[in-house]
Amino acid sequence: MSDETFSGYLDASATAPLRPEARTAMLAVWDAGPGNASSVHSFGHRARSVVDESRAALAAALGVRPGEIVFTSGGTEANNLALIGAALASPRGRHIVTTPLEHLSVLESCRFLERVHGFEVAFAPVNDRGRVTVGGVMSLVRPDTTLVSIGLANAEIGTVQPVAEIGAALDERFAGSGTAGGGRPLLHTDAVQAAASLPVSLGALGWPGAGVDLMSVASHKFGGPQGVGALVVCAGIPIEPLLHGGGQERGARSGTENVAGIAGFAAAVTALHREGVGTRAVALAASRDALVVRVADRVPGARLTGDPSERLPGHASFVIDSVSGESVLVALDASGFAVSSGSACAAGSDEPSPVLLAVGVPPELARTAIRFSLPAPLPVTLLDRLVEVVVREVGASVLPARSERE
Ligand SMILES: Cc1ncc(COP(=O)(O)O)c(C=O)c1O
């Protein structure tokens, strides 16, 4: 995205702006006419080619084989399929290890497995920056653990977890117990936030055959369309489908493929990789660091949440003592800056964020959360303007002292 097209949209963690390459790819599919990828006529063949080429492009970008990608309706479905589909298909026990910081699509899938299938779920402890330790996770892993699910990066506080190290520790603990799925607990990572802004190499995560076995990604965080995503499933791992029907996606996910969405998804990921995820991450981190320093300097009571270094490159989240986060958000919006109070799913809720509570932020302070997630590096003039507006609006949104409120 160029500086010229950049606006004050600073909520990329909720959804990233559509990349022009994704738009072009989708328009090409729609303009080409009808086509169901399962039809045997030439229209169907054309749609099938789009899906196959997109699958190959996505696989190349993620460093996996095309057959390891299951297209879904997004990150939520990918996480449900990973948790429920992989856990139910696994011959191991009924025990899951995860963290209290996971996205609701992971946590609610765990609750479903507890409620309906008698699973037990253990939550790894996190420190006040939202990091788990390898030891903390491994201390909960039992001989009958089915699945370990650790999100690669948290949407609200941006903290990145040591997933590769957890994979290596699982491999070591269960060395000699046979193949993944039978011999050792499966490792799933929700990479919906991380994969679009960190140079996520599945090779570095131990793929294939070791480390991570399942990874969730979502198109709209890469600048592709909403409503499409994928679960990457390492070859040989059985998955119990959640959607039953025509057997698309090699039986793992029935339903007519979202051909245009899949094309847009692959085009966005390919464009991002062409641009260079690592280079982009460095530029984003420089903008983020400048924003963090300036807010910390100029806004009394502002505190960065999450880990200061092990965090998403374009992500800066704060709590600000004695300020109404919601009022600041509304005022920033009126000044042309779209930010968030936390995860998009929690927006509109009066409840303090469970993620902030889990990292020890008191409920009152958790209600003051503000998250900036940059879709692109901030031009200096925009950063200057943003900081001025934040300083002004935070000043205007200071709550009366508690004694005056009661
Ligand atoms: C970490 C994480 N996982 C999963 C999801 C859900 O993805 P989707 O919006 O594609 O359903 C999100 C959405 O923001 C997320 O941040």
Side-chain angles (χ1 to χ4, degrees), residues 13 74-76 79 103 105 155 190 192-193 218 220-221:
S13 284
T76 295
N79 281 342
H103 188 262
S105 52
D190 172 357
V192 165
Q193 287 293 334
H220 67 121
K221 312 292 182 183

